[in-house]
Amino acid sequence: MCIRDRLDPALLRPGRFDKVVQVDMPDMKAREEILKVHARKVRMAQDVDLKVIAKTTPMFSGAELEALINEAALTAVAREKDSVDMECLEDARDKVRWGRQRKSRMMEDEEKKLTAYHEAGHAICSYHLPAVDKLHKVTIIPRGPAGGMTMLMPKKDVRLVNRQRVLAEITLGLGGRAAEEVFFDDMTSGASSDIQRATELARMMVCEWGMSERVGPVRYGITQRNVYLGADFVGRTEFSDETARIIDEEVQRIVSECYEKAKEIITEHREQTELIAEALMRFEVLDAEEVETLFREKSIEALARARGRKGEVGGSGQSGDSSQHTRHAQ
Ligand code: ZN
């Protein structure tokens, strides 16, 4: 669920808005830069390493990072220190974080790990399902209610979908939950929007697009939901209980087969999935090039070196507008 789902569907009809811009929370590098700017206003002790603070403040906004520095300055005064040291900064960080966060938005190490493996599950599926678009970026920085997301770069606007592509999209969508099961033998509620979308696509295949052999090329006007806009249109049910049962069985079959396929991909490429997840825990955001470096070098250290080189050249490769990408909110 995002703000968009709560808007009046009429507002979202084509032609009303030509662009949807989502604003990212700053990533680690951006957080360090923001901290540096505000740190200029106060006297910092020799031992201060803002990189460490940047690393440990995922999902802090720019305003919160500013508040962190101000809070640290107040703490230093209260402790009669002549400069802000690491201890002040870390205490300020915790104060800003716990004072601000609700329980459900806390990102403990355990949750970070689950999110990283969940997103790695989507990402690895995108590499091994030729019918879906290429990976653009995968992140565990939360945005809105989502714990993380995997974004794809569409080759072109898709007007017609074929069966193979829909099945691949359902499989990709279930990749997050599949990774939770493969790596933790456990499941979280974080995959609920993925499951909803997968079920909707399977239902569209059966009821709208005539893609189930068992049901045949018949349109059953059931509750249909525009999966791209999130709007509900409720139609009449015009079929027997028996037909309804067959439709449910078909939807169930499609979703289960795709889920098995996702688990197969993850199991077969276990090492690659782990690399992505571990790299996400360390760097929070990975673009496609970085994922390919990981696959090639099979080492997170090698990626860290490559990122260092890129940092010297300048430019983080971040794109600010992600409206063009398929989004898999955790
Ligand atoms: Zn997901």
Side-chain angles (χ1 to χ4, degrees):
M1 191 76 172
C2 64
I3 294 288
R4 198 178 166 142
D5 294 325
R6 275 181 254 136
L7 291 175
D8 185 330
L11 279 174
L12 293 168
R13 267 183 220 130
R16 294 294 170 96
F17 292 109
D18 17 307
K19 211 167 194 184
V20 176
V21 179
Q22 290 178 323
V23 181
D24 276 305
M25 292 292 256
D27 65 11
M28 205 189 298
K29 207 172 163 55
R31 289 198 302 269
E32 191 185 339
E33 294 306 317
I34 295 167
L35 286 167
K36 272 187 197 158
V37 168
H38 296 294
R40 285 194 206 117
K41 296 178 293 190
V42 293
R43 192 205 294 236
M44 290 283 161
Q46 291 285 329
D47 74 326
V48 164
D49 186 352
L50 291 175
K51 204 170 239 150
V52 173
I53 301 297
K55 216 175 198 170
T56 52
T57 44
M59 81 190 140
F60 273 54
S61 66
E64 285 162 337
L65 293 167
E66 185 180 3
L68 187 160
I69 298 286
N70 293 339
E71 182 63 40
L74 290 173
T75 309
V77 172
R79 292 179 187 169
E80 297 176 354
K81 290 180 175 176
D82 57 5
S83 61
V84 172
D85 58 14
M86 278 311 266
E87 203 186 344
C88 294
L89 283 166
E90 293 192 353
D91 290 348
R93 175 199 61 209
D94 294 344
K95 191 161 176 192
V96 172
R97 174 191 285 166
W98 306 126
R100 172 182 69 86
Q101 282 190 322
R102 294 176 198 291
K103 260 188 203 146
S104 60
R105 298 302 309 140
M106 279 187 214
M107 198 184 245
E108 299 288 357
D109 284 352
E110 194 56 25
E111 189 184 335
K112 191 171 176 179
K113 192 170 179 183
L114 271 169
T115 306
Y117 276 85
H118 177 104
E119 295 306 327
H122 288 306
I124 197 74
C125 286
S126 77
Y127 277 93
H128 299 282
L129 290 165
V132 299
D133 293 319
K134 277 195 165 3
L135 183 82
H136 171 59
K137 182 167 117 172
V138 52
T139 171
I140 57 167
I141 297 177
R143 180 157 56 179
M149 75 190 59
T150 301
M151 284 166 267
L152 308 180
M153 184 64 88
K155 284 174 227 128
K156 54 181 190 291
D157 279 358
V158 180
R159 302 211 175 275
L160 274 176
V161 282
N162 62 29
R163 191 167 182 277
Q164 207 192 355
R165 185 179 165 114
V166 188
L167 288 173
E169 283 214 19
I170 297 174
T171 308
L172 175 81
L174 295 169
R177 162 58 65 90
E180 291 174 17
E181 195 189 327
V182 169
F183 289 98
F184 304 104
D185 195 19
D186 197 2
M187 293 174 189
T188 69
S189 58
S192 67
S193 63
D194 290 338
I195 291 169
Q196 186 187 359
R197 189 183 145 87
T199 311
E200 281 164 4
L201 281 173
R203 200 163 272 274
M204 296 283 270
M205 286 181 75
V206 177
C207 298
E208 291 289 314
W209 300 329
M211 289 177 180
S212 150
E213 277 168 30
R214 196 169 159 212
V215 171
V218 180
R219 180 183 182 276
Y220 290 102
I222 53 147
T223 302
Q224 41 167 285
R225 205 178 124 88
N226 185 318
V227 288
Y228 295 103
L229 288 180
D232 276 310
F233 304 98
V234 182
R236 281 211 318 275
T237 47
E238 296 153 349
F239 44 88
S240 67
D241 290 350
E242 172 64 7
T243 304
R245 192 181 59 75
I246 294 173
I247 290 172
D248 285 342
E249 282 174 11
E250 277 296 274
V251 170
Q252 164 87 35
R253 178 186 63 79
I254 292 168
V255 172
S256 315
E257 284 177 9
C258 290
Y259 184 65
E260 287 309 311
K261 171 81 185 164
K263 277 204 296 190
E264 231 176 80
I265 292 171
I266 291 163
T267 311
E268 197 179 321
H269 304 280
R270 197 184 171 98
E271 202 188 328
Q272 285 185 337
T273 315
E274 268 171 328
L275 273 170
I276 297 174
E278 298 297 321
L280 276 174
M281 281 193 277
R282 176 148 165 199
F283 305 114
E284 301 177 354
V285 184
L286 298 172
D287 62 24
E289 197 187 313
E290 290 169 336
V291 172
E292 274 146 35
T293 304
L294 272 179
F295 288 170
R296 198 174 53 243
E297 307 284 338
K298 295 187 176 61
S299 136
I300 292 171
E301 285 312 316
L303 176 61
R305 286 194 295 275
R307 282 175 74 106
R309 282 196 297 276
K310 211 163 114 185
E312 283 159 26
V313 176
S316 66
Q318 289 289 309
S319 97
D321 176 4
S322 58
S323 63
Q324 296 301 306
H325 315 130
T326 301
R327 166 181 172 167
H328 287 276
Q330 193 211 356

